[in-house]
Amino acid sequence: MRKIALIGNPNSGKSSVFNHLTGLRQKVANFPGVTVEKKVGKMRLSDGEEVTIVDFPGAYSLYPTSEDERVVLRVLANPDDEDFPDVAVYIADVTHLEKHLLLFTQLIDLGIPTILALNMSDLAGKEGLEVKTEALERVFGTKVLNISGRTGQNVAALKSAIGELLRNPAPATAFYEPSENEKKIISAVKAEAGVSNDYHALLLAHHHQMLPSVNAAQKEAISTLCEASDFPSLRLQIDETMARFRKLGGILQKAMKRQRRGVSLTDKIDRLLTHRVFAPLIFFIIMFFVFQAIYAWAEMPMNWIENGFAALSSLVKETLPAGWFTDLLTEGIITGLGGILVFVPQIAILFFLITLLEEVGYMARAVFIFDKLMQQFGMNGRSVVALISGGACAVPAIMSTRTIGVWKERLITILVTPLISCSARIPVYTVLIGFVVPEKAVFGLFNLQGLAFMGLYLLGIVMSLLVALVFKYFLKSTSGSWLMMELPSYKMPDWLNVWQTIKEKTGAFIWEAGKVIMMISIVLWALASYGPAQDMQQAETLAEQHAAEQNLDEQATADLLAAYKIEASYAGHLGKFLEPAIEPLGFDWKIGIALITSFAAREVFVATMATIYSIGSAEDEVTIHDRLSAAVRPGTGEKVYTPATALSLLIFYVFALQCMSTLAVVKRETGSWKWPLLQFLFMGLLAYLGSLITYQMMG
Amino acid sequence: MPLSIFDMQEGSNGWVLDFEDDLIAGRLLSMGVLPGSVVKVIRRAPFSGGLYVKVDGTNMVMRCSEAKRILLTTKDPALGSGVNGQAPASG
């Protein structure tokens, strides 16, 4: 299948054009070896031929200064690459044409048949901008079209132009005239590497070291050639770029008429939104709204999903004959599936709002506002969004770090986001906080428990920043960090883009993180339901015996049986095995079991505690709190849940990475198990030490 | 010492002369910030952060450390006279 490449600067509106060309027939993958997104779609031309369209990441030049640009170079400097296009469509924002044609001239020089699409032409008229496309066609020797990815104007014409160019692929004549020095190295590299295009040869001379398509022997040979002749690569790149812009300037002066730019609407909005005092304020108001939305809007659908799966589980349980398979199905698979899908509302809502902010152009401003602050902690302006979203749920928050361009800044953000207290910690905090502080008003205004709640949140925030500082000094930086960027003009969002992003993010979570979550939840189910046969048998006999002695009703008997069984299970054995290790933290084996099972998700802690204390059927937090406060240590008769134990447990839950979904997502986003493992270990260590210190100081 | 973007007052104009750092130069050039481009500092970021500038009518942001490497003149090369504070000639 022949390939069409969509290429253009960041903010050129490529995605909208891509959506129009492909409709909904598209999928997102990564370029090989990097976490740069590659959107691939299909389109049928008027003659019936089906072609593949690849939406390349935004780039300014083939002299790369970012990972995105390196990917574009890697493909375009290697005609054997699987994504190398038969035809390129260059999308340029017509309202900033002077600055957006550099890469276009480089494409022409590579001999790739190219169409120049002047995007946002619907805005050009409003700005009093006139472009003579025929004049541009004459100078560049390519087809030039006015289009609009927003309104869909002329997209059909673009489609037929693509078909025309595929039938008759005439590359334009070279744009840039190399200097004598460059000509020498070009002919030498052409002979050495066996390439036919002049500019391709020049790119190899500049970039052979970073191109995987150039083998070691060729790298060596080209390096020798460059050293032998006078070839100061960086200087020549600068000279070439300036020469291209000089020529472009001359061309556009003749082919473009622009009225004086007044103060635009964007400028007016930015007076407020990037204001030194109001900007952070407005940002936090927006983020508060985002946080509320993930938190509040997601609650109802999350309840539907939870209840739906609970109902499905009991339906299956009633229909199928009892046995291990039914248990696996109901408690392992269906519960696991529910555990995956329950995140979908939060992910969808977060990405709806984030994409909206991105689309209208606000996100670039947020980066600008918080750049300096977050730099102190080795992160990026965009990290603020992830950290705040982490307050609702770390899973979508970590997925949102994709837009952070610098790998080290992105990684640090991913690593510290789960330290922000998420909504799943709330049930745990609610049950335990009563043991630590009484419900009492202070200064007549604040509730003491509310203040303690806030303290736990603050603890998470402070620790995430401290840990970020540590990583800032220990992690190696692979590429320089910039801020220099264009601020896009404010505009209405492209709803198709918003929809595509939501679909892609939730889909990726369900399929890729879902696999891991499913496996772990089956393992956890097995640990909690099975045990050494003898122990399980004994648990059953004992439970029946005790239930009969105490004259318990059916429900209470079942609850008691569940409590005895979980004690006899492998999870129970693990809990008892762990007891010596967690005793210094003030935890007994029962808490040990809950620590293991709540790895599925933190809120499982509450349900597990309910099961262990044989009140499985009463899942409300008040009952559980009452039951826990009655618990005493065997032998001594001391209360298990002293303030020291409860606070120690709270600290543990603030720090520990008790969430398999987070681990699965981190694995997906970083591409290796190395980072989630490191994260699990350092957060576990923080939790252990934090709890140890707390308990030992209070105990 | 020549002037850099960092030294500019908010609202005043300058014209790019040169870049002190080849890497920053490469990045800015590819974005179309060239010697001769008109630069106007619009405002500075909160938390003593970066700069919001207008280059030839395009809005851009940069860090202070980046702004310090971009050298300017306050004399419009096209007019040959100082026009500090005046609106940029559109291009």
Side-chain angles (χ1 to χ4, degrees):
Chain A
M1 202 180 289
R2 291 203 274 183
K3 285 216 153 76
I4 315 296
L6 283 194
I7 298 173
N9 292 175
N11 304 319
S12 58
K14 266 181 320 106
S15 309
S16 301
V17 179
F18 179 73
N19 286 340
H20 270 291
L21 289 176
T22 59
L24 298 174
R25 303 163 69 203
Q26 47 174 275
K27 60 177 202 277
V28 180
N30 280 350
F31 281 96
V34 285
T35 48
V36 173
E37 274 183 7
K38 169 168 96 175
K39 289 204 270 179
V40 185
K42 289 203 167 56
M43 172 177 86
R44 194 172 292 283
L45 297 169
S46 54
D47 61 1
E49 183 186 349
E50 192 164 50
V51 291
T52 305
I53 303 189
V54 181
D55 186 11
F56 278 68
Y60 288 105
S61 163
L62 291 178
Y63 299 114
T65 52
S66 71
E67 188 68 34
D68 285 4
E69 289 182 339
R70 268 188 286 278
V71 166
V72 176
L73 168 72
R74 227 172 277 165
V75 174
L76 295 181
N78 175 22
D80 296 326
D81 192 283
E82 56 161 8
D83 295 312
F84 190 86
D86 296 283
V87 160
V89 176
Y90 188 83
I91 312 282
D93 174 355
V94 72
T95 61
H96 292 104
L97 206 53
E98 302 93 332
K99 306 218 174 305
H100 278 207
L101 288 178
L102 174 66
L103 182 57
F104 169 67
T105 66
Q106 293 173 329
L107 278 180
I108 293 181
D109 287 350
L110 273 176
I112 299 169
T114 303
I115 297 167
L116 175 58
L118 305 178
N119 195 17
M120 315 205 188
S121 54
D122 52 322
L123 301 178
K126 283 182 208 156
E127 291 194 9
L129 183 71
E130 258 179 80
V131 182
K132 298 180 188 128
T133 50
E134 302 80 18
L136 291 181
E137 284 186 341
R138 270 199 305 280
V139 225
F140 294 132
T142 63
K143 181 92 188 150
V144 180
L145 280 169
N146 272 311
I147 65 160
S148 168
R150 249 150 235 297
T151 62
Q153 171 207 337
N154 259 357
V155 170
L158 176 60
K159 227 175 191 174
S160 48
I162 293 171
E164 181 58 38
L165 198 55
L166 277 171
R167 275 190 294 280
N168 187 12
T173 46
F175 181 86
Y176 169 67
E177 174 70 19
S179 67
E180 290 308 315
N181 256 343
E182 286 170 315
K183 278 181 183 154
K184 257 181 251 162
I185 202 102
I186 285 172
S187 52
V189 171
K190 275 166 91 171
E192 177 58 48
V195 298
S196 57
N197 176 283
D198 282 8
Y199 192 52
H200 186 189
L202 187 58
L203 285 180
L204 290 185
H206 282 303
H207 299 314
H208 54 279
Q209 291 300 353
M210 70 163 92
L211 292 172
S213 53
V214 180
N215 67 38
Q218 280 179 333
K219 277 192 176 116
E220 182 80 38
I222 297 175
S223 285
T224 317
L225 285 176
C226 292
E227 277 159 30
S229 51
D230 188 21
F231 193 74
S233 178
L234 209 52
R235 203 61 241 174
L236 290 176
Q237 292 176 25
I238 290 173
D239 292 345
E240 181 198 320
T241 302
M242 285 178 41
R244 284 177 191 274
F245 271 116
R246 264 198 303 275
K247 192 168 172 188
L248 277 172
I251 293 170
L252 290 175
Q253 209 156 35
K254 289 187 199 127
M256 200 169 79
K257 257 206 300 213
R258 181 196 287 286
Q259 284 172 359
R260 256 178 96 90
R261 279 189 172 114
V263 177
S264 65
L265 181 62
T266 293
D267 293 338
K268 284 180 201 153
I269 298 174
D270 269 343
R271 271 183 208 155
L272 188 63
L273 292 192
T274 63
H275 187 275
R276 213 171 306 166
V277 180
F278 296 127
L281 212 67
I282 294 170
F283 175 83
F284 281 112
I285 293 172
I286 294 176
M287 280 302 123
F288 177 76
F289 178 72
V290 169
F291 183 84
Q292 274 297 309
I294 325 176
Y295 210 82
W297 298 356
E299 198 189 336
M300 214 196 298
M302 283 172 82
N303 283 339
W304 292 338
I305 293 170
E306 273 175 350
N307 295 339
F309 275 91
L312 181 68
S313 173
S314 44
L315 181 75
V316 171
K317 210 169 214 159
E318 280 160 25
T319 340
L320 292 185
W324 70 268
F325 180 74
T326 308
D327 283 352
L328 170 68
L329 206 59
T330 54
E331 278 156 51
I333 293 172
I334 294 179
T335 311
L337 205 59
I340 296 163
L341 293 182
V342 79
F343 286 105
V344 167
Q346 287 184 331
I347 293 174
I349 291 172
L350 179 67
F351 279 99
F352 170 66
L353 294 170
I354 284 186
T355 316
L356 214 59
L357 292 175
E358 191 88 54
E359 283 272 318
V360 298
Y362 182 70
M363 225 40 132
R365 273 77 183 178
V367 175
F368 168 62
I369 298 165
F370 289 101
D371 178 72
K372 179 77 183 239
L373 189 69
M374 298 315 280
Q375 283 289 304
Q376 319 273 353
F377 299 101
M379 290 185 275
N380 183 289
R382 287 175 195 267
S383 309
V384 185
V385 177
L387 292 179
I388 292 177
S389 314
C393 179
V395 170
I398 286 168
M399 291 171 76
S400 77
T401 60
R402 277 261 168 138
T403 48
I404 300 175
V406 180
W407 169 242
K408 180 180 167 182
E409 294 170 356
R410 176 162 173 235
L411 185 61
I412 293 179
T413 312
I414 291 176
L415 290 174
V416 304
T417 295
L419 280 167
I420 304 288
S421 284
C422 64
S423 56
R425 283 166 170 109
I426 291 175
V428 184
Y429 292 175
T430 312
V431 169
L432 293 174
I433 218 155
F435 292 105
V436 184
V437 286
E439 179 147 19
K440 184 169 97 180
V442 277
F443 310 121
L445 255 180
F446 303 106
N447 177 295
L448 198 58
Q449 291 191 348
L451 285 178
F453 236 99
M454 201 175 81
L456 293 173
Y457 270 84
L458 281 178
L459 186 63
I461 294 168
V462 169
M463 190 51 87
S464 72
L465 293 179
L466 285 177
V467 170
L469 267 183
V470 173
F471 279 124
K472 182 185 169 188
Y473 288 104
F474 281 99
L475 286 177
K476 273 202 306 276
S477 184
T478 47
S479 60
S481 151
W482 314 100
L483 177 61
M484 286 177 282
M485 62 171 181
E486 260 179 76
L487 289 181
S489 304
Y490 289 108
K491 49 185 182 286
M492 287 301 289
D494 180 336
W495 296 105
L496 196 59
N497 251 351
V498 176
W499 167 243
Q500 286 289 353
T501 308
I502 296 174
K503 216 172 68 172
E504 198 268 310
K505 293 292 173 189
T506 39
F509 171 76
I510 293 172
W511 295 118
E512 291 179 47
K515 281 182 281 192
V516 179
I517 299 173
M518 193 55 135
M519 267 177 332
I520 300 178
S521 74
I522 289 175
V523 170
L524 285 176
W525 161 77
L527 282 179
S529 350
Y530 289 93
Q534 207 185 338
D535 295 4
M536 293 301 272
Q537 193 80 49
Q538 202 180 353
E540 230 165 281
T541 329
L542 266 177
E544 273 164 29
Q545 199 180 323
H546 288 172
E549 280 168 18
Q550 296 167 36
N551 258 336
L552 294 180
D553 64 19
E554 199 178 328
Q555 186 64 64
T557 310
D559 283 350
L560 194 68
L561 178 62
Y564 280 45
K565 266 180 136 170
I566 199 167
E567 183 183 349
S569 72
Y570 290 113
H573 283 269
L574 260 175
K576 284 183 180 159
F577 175 75
L578 277 179
E579 197 171 47
I582 56 179
E583 211 168 6
L585 315 185
F587 304 164
D588 62 1
W589 62 268
K590 293 180 178 174
I591 299 176
I593 297 177
L595 292 185
I596 296 162
T597 56
S598 67
F599 182 66
R602 294 179 179 89
E603 65 270 25
V604 171
F605 171 85
V606 177
T608 303
M609 280 321 218
T611 307
I612 295 172
Y613 286 100
S614 76
I615 40 170
S617 50
E619 281 193 6
D620 68 296
E621 280 137 16
V622 180
T623 321
I624 293 165
H625 177 96
D626 292 347
R627 184 58 71 99
L628 293 187
S629 48
V632 290
R633 287 186 196 274
T636 60
E638 285 173 64
K639 286 218 184 296
V640 176
Y641 290 88
T642 59
T645 293
L647 187 62
S648 160
L649 196 51
L650 279 169
I651 302 289
F652 194 91
Y653 271 85
V654 171
F655 292 145
L657 184 46
Q658 293 278 85
C659 178
M660 61 180 175
S661 310
T662 301
L663 285 176
V665 163
V666 172
K667 193 259 163 186
R668 177 180 183 265
E669 292 299 316
T670 60
S672 94
W673 278 109
K674 182 168 99 181
W675 298 113
L677 214 66
L678 173 81
Q679 193 175 26
F680 183 70
L681 290 178
F682 90 76
M683 287 178 68
L685 192 69
L686 278 181
Y688 191 89
L689 292 178
S691 295
L692 184 68
I693 293 167
T694 311
Y695 186 72
Q696 295 303 331
M697 276 174 52
M698 286 184 67
Chain B
M1 266 302 276
L3 216 58
S4 76
I5 291 190
F6 182 74
D7 305 317
M8 301 267 292
Q9 297 283 321
E10 279 184 24
S12 62
N13 285 326
W15 285 263
V16 176
L17 275 181
D18 201 359
F19 308 97
E20 271 193 334
D21 177 315
D22 277 354
L23 284 170
I24 289 178
R27 171 88 180 162
L28 284 168
L29 287 173
S30 69
M31 294 167 76
V33 180
L34 309 163
S37 290
V38 190
V39 180
K40 179 178 190 168
V41 176
I42 306 290
R43 64 183 69 85
R44 284 157 198 271
F47 314 114
S48 49
L51 279 84
Y52 186 144
V53 298
K54 224 180 224 307
V55 183
D56 298 329
T58 299
N59 297 335
M60 287 184 59
V61 292
M62 58 184 67
R63 288 189 185 139
C64 296
S65 57
E66 294 157 1
K68 282 177 186 162
R69 302 303 182 81
I70 307 170
L71 304 181
L72 300 172
T73 169
T74 50
K75 291 191 173 68
D76 185 346
L79 297 176
S81 61
V83 283
N84 213 350
Q86 197 173 307
S90 72

